[in-house]
Amino acid sequence: MRTHPIGAAGVEVTELGFGSASISGLYEAVDEDTAAATVAAAWDAGVRYFDTAPHYGVGLAERRLGAALRDKPRDAYTLSTKAGRLLVPYAEGEGPGDDLAHGFAVPATHRRVWDFSADGVRRSLEQSLERLGLDRLDIVYLHDPDDHGEQALREAYPALERLRAQGIVRAIGAGMNQAGMLTRFVTDTDVDLVLCAGRYTLLEQTALRELLPAAEERGKRVVIGGVFNSGLLADPGRPDATYDYTAVPDAIRARALHMRAVTEAYGVPLRAAALRFPFGHPAVASVLTGARSVAEAQDAAAMLRLEIPDGLWEGLRAEGLLPAEVPVPAAGGQEERCA
């Protein structure tokens, strides 16, 4: 699987990355053996970029991912985690019982406390290293600083910059479900990359307005998360499919179903087109998917390798499903792009 460099410290990410939210019980529980087997399947498929966060399953994703990677050579993979939410244990009998209010089918052992102070960043990373069982991190993102932007830029970002200068962290960035503030990180700081979830997909390309051009101009890389818009583009026919983690509006489902009809007319599953689409832009280095089973991990790798026929993208344009100004990958899924 191809890789792309991030920053100046020798960090590389595979074009397919493994997002660990699902193996920590996003929406529904996943048992420990299944979680471990899913990570192993992604590894066997060539994935060498793994992403996690304290938020996912109140620490369970970090613990499970660290355990699954423990016997792998540390220099053979790239791992990213996030800072901005500290996990504080509930006193006995204090918690709500489960974490479903945050979307995770796990016991609510901790509460999340927003903290984008310099000390909060350091404490968060110390806790993450302990949960992961590792002695270093490759990439650290500031996680969802939407309502804490000024503090994140004034305190958390400089803390990450110092950690990078000290060699404790190799690359730094921010991860969000919006493109606007990520553009500010790209233009006003010296981040190495950003993680943009849900805003550059077949259904929505708001990141193309400012974020992606700014990243390309400044030589920064972008990782695309939520490439299926939280599930809809993986299977728009599922009654329980979600869009941006909520119920799917009828008009958006109809658009996704129309897209599926077009891609399948070219012999391509919609999820394969959705995975390949972001690589039409030269700033994109990787796409993250959140497998919860061996089959899903294997399928994501197979779909990314699938050859895309010449006319598929133009077919989507002809049906009014893809704007003319949106760049698309070269034919065949093996396009040459600047590194």
Side-chain angles (χ1 to χ4, degrees):
M1 188 177 295
R2 289 194 301 176
T3 63
H4 296 287
I6 301 293
V11 177
E12 293 188 341
V13 294
T14 45
E15 287 196 327
L16 181 63
F18 182 93
S20 62
S22 293
I23 63 166
S24 67
L26 182 64
Y27 302 135
E28 58 187 74
V30 174
D31 65 75
E32 191 168 341
D33 289 343
T34 298
T38 302
V39 177
W43 182 278
D44 290 344
V47 174
R48 295 295 183 270
Y49 172 38
F50 299 87
D51 176 70
T52 189
H55 170 58
Y56 303 154
V58 282
L60 183 60
E62 289 185 320
R63 292 193 297 273
R64 285 183 165 176
L65 189 58
L69 295 174
R70 198 146 298 151
D71 64 344
K72 307 299 184 186
R74 184 61 187 88
D75 292 335
Y77 64 89
T78 295
L79 187 141
S80 59
T81 193
K82 306 179 183 75
R85 293 174 175 90
L86 290 174
L87 301 183
V88 178
Y90 282 115
E92 186 175 352
E94 178 187 3
D98 62 53
D99 196 52
L100 289 172
H102 292 94
F104 294 92
V106 297
T109 57
H110 294 68
R111 59 187 173 93
R112 300 163 176 82
V113 177
W114 291 104
D115 193 334
F116 287 96
S117 68
D119 180 63
V121 167
R122 288 189 294 268
R123 289 168 58 198
S124 179
L125 298 189
E126 288 170 0
Q127 293 174 6
S128 288
L129 286 169
E130 183 176 354
R131 286 189 291 266
L132 287 160
L134 299 175
D135 59 3
R136 65 176 170 87
L137 297 165
D138 300 306
I139 301 169
V140 175
Y141 299 105
L142 298 179
H143 197 188
D144 296 337
D146 304 64
D147 297 326
H148 310 270
E150 293 308 315
Q151 185 186 30
L153 286 160
R154 186 179 63 250
E155 300 178 38
Y157 167 74
L160 284 186
E161 197 173 54
R162 288 190 293 272
L163 292 170
R164 182 180 60 184
Q166 295 164 5
I168 297 171
V169 172
R170 301 169 70 200
I172 60 175
M176 305 179 71
N177 292 287
Q178 59 151 296
M181 193 179 295
L182 288 180
T183 304
R184 187 175 176 190
F185 275 99
V186 167
T187 58
D188 296 357
T189 75
D190 189 31
V191 294
D192 299 292
L193 77 168
V194 293
L195 195 171
C196 182
R199 306 285 77 83
Y200 196 61
T201 73
L202 278 176
L203 281 171
E204 180 182 339
Q205 299 92 42
T206 53
L208 189 60
R209 296 173 191 164
E210 295 182 339
L211 174 60
L212 288 167
E216 182 180 11
E217 180 182 348
R218 289 161 177 78
K220 309 299 183 182
R221 304 313 299 261
V222 180
V223 172
I224 301 297
V227 71
F228 298 136
N229 285 112
S230 84
L232 179 61
L233 288 177
D235 186 358
R238 282 186 56 171
D240 60 345
T242 58
Y243 174 75
D244 280 359
Y245 308 103
T246 61
V248 184
D250 290 343
I252 291 178
R253 185 186 294 274
R255 186 175 180 86
L257 289 169
H258 191 178
M259 285 181 167
R260 185 176 70 178
V262 173
T263 65
E264 289 183 349
Y266 286 88
V268 176
L270 178 60
R271 62 191 186 281
L275 278 167
R276 177 52 55 183
F277 165 75
F279 292 105
H281 197 284
V284 173
S286 182
V287 295
L288 288 173
T289 61
R292 65 172 61 248
S293 67
V294 169
E296 288 185 2
Q298 293 171 338
D299 182 75
M303 290 299 100
L304 190 61
R305 290 193 299 266
L306 196 67
E307 183 173 345
I308 306 294
D310 292 356
L312 182 145
W313 309 113
E314 289 309 315
L316 289 170
R317 292 194 203 279
E319 293 293 316
L321 297 170
L322 196 61
E325 68 274 12
V326 173
V328 296
Q334 295 298 319
E335 68 279 5
E336 290 300 322
R337 303 187 297 108
C338 63

